[in-house]
Amino acid sequence: MRRMLIAAFCLSFFSLVLPCSGAQTPTSKSLQIYFIDVEGGQSTLVVSPSGESLLIDTGWPGSEGRDADRIMAAAHQAGITQIDYVLITHYHRDHVGGVPQLVDGIKVGTFVDHGPNLEDSAVTRTDYAAYEKAIAGHAHVVVKPGWGLPIKGIEVHVLSAAGDHITSPLPGAGTANLYCGSEPAAAVDDSENARSVGVLITYGKFRFLDLGDLTKQKELELACPNNLLGTVDLFLVTHHGADLSNSKALDWALHPRVAVIDNGPRKGSSPAAWQIVHDSPGLEDLWQLHYAEESDKAHNVADERIANVKENCEGKYLKVVAQSDGTFTLTNGRTGEQKTYSKK
Ligand SMILES: [Zn+2]
Ligand SMILES: [Zn+2]
């Protein structure tokens, strides 16, 4: 907040005549994305260049507020004191579970989701009820495919929600997908995963895709016979890198430059899905939130691209700072090491 005030002050009084040294931090005109370690759930904090924020999912409940605490630590790092939008992709515990503890700890503006729970299971009904209770009194928006969110400086395109999805291609997308021919048919999924809210977030030329836990049947509806999504710079590997998601026809057609897996030490990042992402044409690097204990060394990236190498970890994040020309830098929160991916 202080940085924003200084920036506003400089803009009003000095910007026409003087460069305002000190106010322009390297991230002040950048999109920031924190992949927060919630031990195999999802929690992704997006802070737009204007300082507005979107949190996609909240991790797990319990553990004495561990995941809400990690989200608040990332918010603090990002220089924000409230979260403007919290988007819940679907009502599985590893995504929606952290909401009650989060609203106890930090101010949240608007909750965004796909509408009522659509999964016929006791645990999901329980978690949805806890969510409804926790968001009472907050602004609440139910989104549909094709909608956006009004966040200044970036565009948030809703691609899927409640089992529906966009049916016409995004601008520049829609070409025939050569990988569809060899893709096996996908099973019908009537769990909440298939109802995930998926979003593409763009900042100028930079494109980041997060499909929540969307499973193969819906992935293929977006990817085949024509790829409705186009290509992306940064891909949050769907469903923590599980085999129920990550059809080759989608992951390869996306042509991600960099992929991040939000796996836990013993959740997600299955060897088969890991290999599909790893072999994706044009991939420059794959990063993981955790070393996958149940995979072998050959199905884990090198330690320098893993945020948490020990099962009993400190909950380190991976952070991306992106520029509007499509260049972005990834920082390993454990080591502080950075790698920049220049726009080609
Ligand atoms: Zn999940
Ligand atoms: Zn799920």
Side-chain angles (χ1 to χ4, degrees):
M1 184 54 80
R2 187 193 301 155
R3 183 190 305 150
M4 283 171 58
L5 288 174
I6 293 169
F9 177 83
C10 292
L11 206 68
S12 329
F13 293 94
F14 296 121
S15 64
L16 293 178
V17 284
L18 286 173
C20 195
S21 65
Q24 298 292 319
T25 66
T27 56
S28 62
K29 284 189 179 162
S30 310
L31 169 65
Q32 300 180 70
I33 304 171
Y34 289 81
F35 297 102
I36 299 163
D37 176 29
V38 290
E39 309 294 336
Q42 183 182 181
S43 190
T44 307
L45 177 64
V46 177
V47 181
S48 80
S50 66
E52 288 182 82
S53 51
L54 164 67
L55 180 72
I56 304 176
D57 290 333
T58 60
W60 303 86
S63 302
E64 297 175 332
R66 176 198 68 201
D67 291 355
D69 285 350
R70 290 179 183 178
I71 294 164
M72 288 186 277
H76 182 74
Q77 274 273 321
I80 57 171
T81 53
Q82 69 167 53
I83 299 173
D84 299 305
Y85 294 90
V86 172
L87 186 158
I88 299 299
T89 60
H90 65 298
Y91 302 117
H92 282 161
R93 183 163 287 185
D94 54 324
H95 299 255
V96 73
V99 169
Q101 290 162 324
L102 185 72
V103 294
D104 279 348
I106 189 166
K107 189 176 170 208
V108 173
T110 302
F111 281 90
V112 180
D113 57 48
H114 71 59
N117 168 43
L118 294 168
E119 180 176 307
D120 185 16
S121 72
V123 64
T124 307
R125 278 194 292 273
T126 301
D127 290 343
Y128 179 64
Y131 168 67
E132 275 198 297
K133 189 168 166 222
I135 71 167
H138 286 84
H140 176 208
V141 176
V142 175
V143 287
K144 306 227 175 301
W147 289 23
L149 291 179
I151 299 179
K152 243 179 279 161
I154 60 173
E155 287 183 32
V156 181
H157 309 259
V158 177
L159 307 170
S160 62
D164 294 330
H165 53 76
I166 58 166
T167 51
S168 48
L170 294 174
T175 53
N177 183 348
L178 302 175
Y179 304 121
C180 293
S182 54
E183 184 71 40
V188 173
D189 174 14
D190 57 12
S191 79
E192 268 290 306
N193 290 333
R195 278 67 181 243
S196 288
V197 176
V199 292
L200 177 77
I201 296 177
T202 62
Y203 173 42
K205 291 181 178 155
F206 175 78
R207 294 160 66 87
F208 163 55
L209 182 68
D210 180 344
L211 295 177
D213 285 359
L214 205 67
T215 38
K216 281 183 177 174
Q217 184 196 21
K218 300 294 174 185
E219 287 183 335
L220 295 179
E221 289 172 14
L222 290 168
C224 295
N226 298 323
N227 169 14
L228 303 182
L229 306 185
T231 61
V232 300
D233 297 290
L234 178 65
F235 176 41
L236 176 62
V237 174
T238 308
H239 205 173
H240 326 285
D243 286 335
L244 289 172
S245 306
N246 297 296
S247 58
K248 188 191 274 191
L250 176 65
D251 286 5
W252 284 28
L254 291 172
H255 218 272
R257 297 172 57 205
V258 171
V260 170
I261 307 181
D262 56 350
N263 62 313
R266 295 181 187 277
K267 183 168 177 293
S269 203
S270 84
W274 185 96
Q275 197 69 51
I276 285 171
V277 177
H278 176 269
D279 295 345
S280 178
L283 191 81
E284 293 172 44
D285 267 327
L286 175 59
W287 294 69
Q288 296 172 204
L289 273 183
H290 259 277
Y291 185 86
E293 302 283 344
E294 288 163 8
S295 287
D296 52 12
K297 262 271 181 222
H299 295 89
N300 277 281
V301 295
D303 279 3
E304 61 259 33
R305 293 199 301 282
I306 300 179
N308 299 283
V309 290
K310 298 213 169 70
E311 182 162 3
N312 191 359
C313 72
E314 293 174 52
K316 299 297 186 182
Y317 55 71
L318 296 171
K319 177 186 177 184
V320 168
V321 176
Q323 316 302 326
S324 59
D325 70 354
T327 296
F328 59 102
T329 298
L330 218 151
T331 303
N332 186 332
R334 176 174 60 84
T335 63
E337 283 176 46
Q338 299 189 328
K339 186 161 176 189
T340 295
Y341 301 91
S342 300
K343 187 70 178 177
K344 288 181 175 156

